[in-house]
């Protein structure tokens, strides 16, 4: 689990009125809702009194009330506002009691939570605790802005897909970036077949917290890309980025036309993650060809990946060591190396050492 990043918790349309909703991120239970102004919040779904889930309680637009003993907590800060059982002369300072809380923002139709630590402490208090306990801590960095899908014109269409994957986040991510499984897992007239396998050579370069497949012509053996080229009448280029902790961005540009997508693989539990895909495009918005590709072919594509992961889980339970071979698996190696470098940087306070030293060309067949 990588802490110190934004993760999508729910779709925005799942938070309505003063209803409370549950989510699980990085094995942390969350309760989410909206205040009277419509701003989302995320608290740890555990009352600090008797560990009763706050999601069973009542929300009045400002405070979440625990259904067990009526303790009330500020929806955004988690600060305890009221304890009904206290007598007038009690010396207990309830405002010093906090439920865990997480910074919360909306982007691209998703509610994101910034997961600094499992307890929902602020980054500042986390750093202070490390100093008191003798650890190494620097001044806490401000919470960064949540991720946002790049768009390149004011008018566009947008679509979203999601699926639960019965595997660890690591297996979900390296499956997401695997370039060699397509002709075998996604065999279809509208995608690829084993007969379409050909040599590929792509240039990669380092970017902050990740790596980029530099702008290149889209795969000539994929029917959707052929269709897009036919529609736009322009030579197209594709750029693909992977950025820690879990984001894959792809941008297809053809003259004034563009399609931009982001796929995240978010850890829910150690044995489960969730895939969220969002795409925006301005390619013939009045003609539903791109919408058809995403809404009809997209779910089939994701279902094929899900079925493979379910079958892979049968073998993974025996704990055999994985083989990551040659250039086709180099992106998976980079992912594990990036993750290790990030964790080392967090522990030492030193700048992160990027495992990709410079531009490199990878070659494989797919």
């Amino acid at each position: 689990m990588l802490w110190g990043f934004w993760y999508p918790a729910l779709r925005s349309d799942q938070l309505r009125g003063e209803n409370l909703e549950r989510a699980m991120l990085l094995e942390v239970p969350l309760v989410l809702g909206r205040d009277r102004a419509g701003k989302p919040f995320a608290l740890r779904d555990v009352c600090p009194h008797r560990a009763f889930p706050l999601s069973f309680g009542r929300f009045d637009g400002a405070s979440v009330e625990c259904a067990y003993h009526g303790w009330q907590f500020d929806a955004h800060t988690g600060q305890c506002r009221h304890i009904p059982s206290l007598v007038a002369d009690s010396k207990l300072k309830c405002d010093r009691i906090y439920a865990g809380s997480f910074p919360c923002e909306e982007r691209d139709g998703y509610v994101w939570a910034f997961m600094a630590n499992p307890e929902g402490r602020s980054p500042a208090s986390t750093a202070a605790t490390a100093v008191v306990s003798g650890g190494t801590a620097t001044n806490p960095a401000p919470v960064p802005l949540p991720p946002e899908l790049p768009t390149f014109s004011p008018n566009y269409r947008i679509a979203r897909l999601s699926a639960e994957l019965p595997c660890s986040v690591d297996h979900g991510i390296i499956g997401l970036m695997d370039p060699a499984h397509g002709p075998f897992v996604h065999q279809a007239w509208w995608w690829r077949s084993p007969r379409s396998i050909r040599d590929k050579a792509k240039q990669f370069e380092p970017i902050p917290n990740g790596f980029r497949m530099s702008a290149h012509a889209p795969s000539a053996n994929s029917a959707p890309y052929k269709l897009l080229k036919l529609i736009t009448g322009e030579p197209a280029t594709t750029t693909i980025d992977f950025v820690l902790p879990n984001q894959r961005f792809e941008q297809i540009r053809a003259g004034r036309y563009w399609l931009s997508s982001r796929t995240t693989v978010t850890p829910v539990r150690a044995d489960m993650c969730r895939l969220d895909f969002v795409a925006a495009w301005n390619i013939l918005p009045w003609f539903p060809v791109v919408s058809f590709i995403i809404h009809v072919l997209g779910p089939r594509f994701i279902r094929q990946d899900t079925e493979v992961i379910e079958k892979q889980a049968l073998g993974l339970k025996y704990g055999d060591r994985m083989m990551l071979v040659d250039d086709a698996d180099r992106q998976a190696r980079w992912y594990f190396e990036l993750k290790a470098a990030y964790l080392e940087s967090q522990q030492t306070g030193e700048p992160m050492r990027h495992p990709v030293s410079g531009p490199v060309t990878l070659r494989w067949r797919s």
Side-chain angles (χ1 to χ4, degrees):
M1 305 294 185
L2 290 182
W3 303 93
F5 291 101
W6 290 94
Y7 291 91
L10 292 172
R11 288 268 295 267
S12 292
D13 56 13
Q14 292 178 267
L15 291 184
R16 300 175 180 174
E18 294 182 356
N19 293 334
L20 297 175
E21 298 292 340
R22 297 187 217 173
M24 181 79 73
L25 293 181
L26 288 73
E27 298 191 327
V28 176
L30 300 180
V31 55
L32 299 103
R34 295 184 186 276
D35 63 19
R36 293 191 185 100
K39 181 174 175 58
F41 63 86
L43 297 178
R44 196 168 186 270
D45 193 18
V46 179
C47 179
H49 179 214
R50 299 280 189 87
F52 195 81
L54 294 173
S55 55
F56 290 118
R58 188 176 64 87
F59 178 55
D60 64 3
S63 298
V64 176
E65 181 181 275
C66 179
Y68 197 3
H69 296 93
W71 287 31
Q72 296 177 5
F73 301 90
D74 182 275
H76 291 287
T77 66
Q79 184 178 46
C80 185
R81 297 299 192 191
H82 180 59
I83 298 178
S85 62
L86 293 184
V87 296
D89 59 350
S90 173
K91 295 182 180 180
L92 179 65
K93 304 296 185 183
C94 68
D95 59 357
R96 296 183 180 179
I97 300 172
Y98 284 82
S101 64
F102 301 86
C104 193
E105 296 288 347
E106 282 187 271
R107 290 289 190 280
D108 308 318
Y110 294 90
V111 176
W112 297 72
F114 186 77
M115 307 299 290
N117 50 70
E119 298 80 17
R121 302 189 309 271
S122 70
S125 65
T126 303
T129 301
V131 171
V132 170
S133 63
T136 300
T138 58
N139 292 329
V143 175
L145 294 175
E148 189 166 12
L149 179 69
T151 56
F152 305 101
S153 63
N155 298 315
Y156 54 84
R157 299 284 299 277
I158 192 165
R160 303 170 187 86
L161 301 171
S162 65
E164 289 188 343
L165 306 178
C167 65
S168 72
V169 66
D170 287 342
H171 286 292
I173 287 176
I174 66 173
L176 176 71
M177 61 178 61
D178 175 16
H181 73 278
F184 304 95
V185 175
H186 303 297
Q187 294 182 30
W189 65 266
W190 48 269
W191 190 247
R192 295 178 187 175
S193 72
R195 294 187 301 274
S196 72
I197 293 177
R198 62 184 64 184
D199 290 354
K200 301 288 179 67
K202 309 293 184 185
Q203 186 173 41
F204 290 79
E205 57 188 294
I207 58 175
N209 278 352
F211 52 87
R212 169 174 295 159
M213 184 188 294
S214 305
H216 60 279
S219 298
N221 56 344
S222 294
Y225 289 134
K226 293 179 182 177
L227 182 60
L228 290 176
K229 184 177 181 180
L230 178 65
I231 293 170
T232 62
E234 299 271 4
T237 61
T238 299
T239 303
I240 301 175
D241 293 353
F242 174 79
V243 182
L244 285 179
N246 63 344
Q247 299 180 86
R248 179 188 186 273
F249 294 90
E250 181 168 0
Q251 297 169 16
I252 301 173
R253 307 293 297 270
R256 64 186 180 89
Y257 296 108
W258 56 269
L259 185 149
S260 176
S261 69
R262 180 190 63 226
T263 306
T264 57
V265 180
T266 297
V268 177
R269 304 190 308 261
D271 62 347
M272 178 177 288
C273 53
R274 190 187 69 248
L275 181 149
D276 289 295
F277 171 85
V278 57
W281 67 94
N282 75 339
I283 302 169
L284 303 185
W286 48 268
F287 188 63
V289 61
V290 178
S291 182
F292 175 83
I293 292 173
I294 292 174
H295 286 107
V296 177
L297 304 186
R300 297 183 188 180
F301 196 89
I302 292 172
R303 185 167 60 250
Q304 290 167 343
D305 279 326
T306 303
E307 291 172 353
V308 163
I309 287 172
E310 290 172 348
K311 294 172 183 176
Q312 183 190 27
L314 299 175
L316 289 174
K317 67 182 181 181
Y318 299 108
D320 288 25
R321 185 177 179 181
M322 290 190 304
M323 295 178 63
L324 298 177
V325 298
D326 215 26
D327 281 5
D329 288 335
R330 186 74 64 86
Q331 295 177 72
R333 289 183 180 275
W334 285 342
Y335 163 68
F336 287 117
E337 292 168 358
L338 278 166
K339 191 173 180 179
Y342 174 80
L343 291 171
E344 181 182 6
S345 174
Q346 293 296 105
Q347 292 172 353
T348 64
E350 297 294 323
M352 177 174 158
R353 293 181 294 178
H354 204 295
V356 186
S357 58
V360 59
T361 299
L362 302 185
R363 295 177 173 86
W364 64 85
R365 286 176 55 79
S366 69

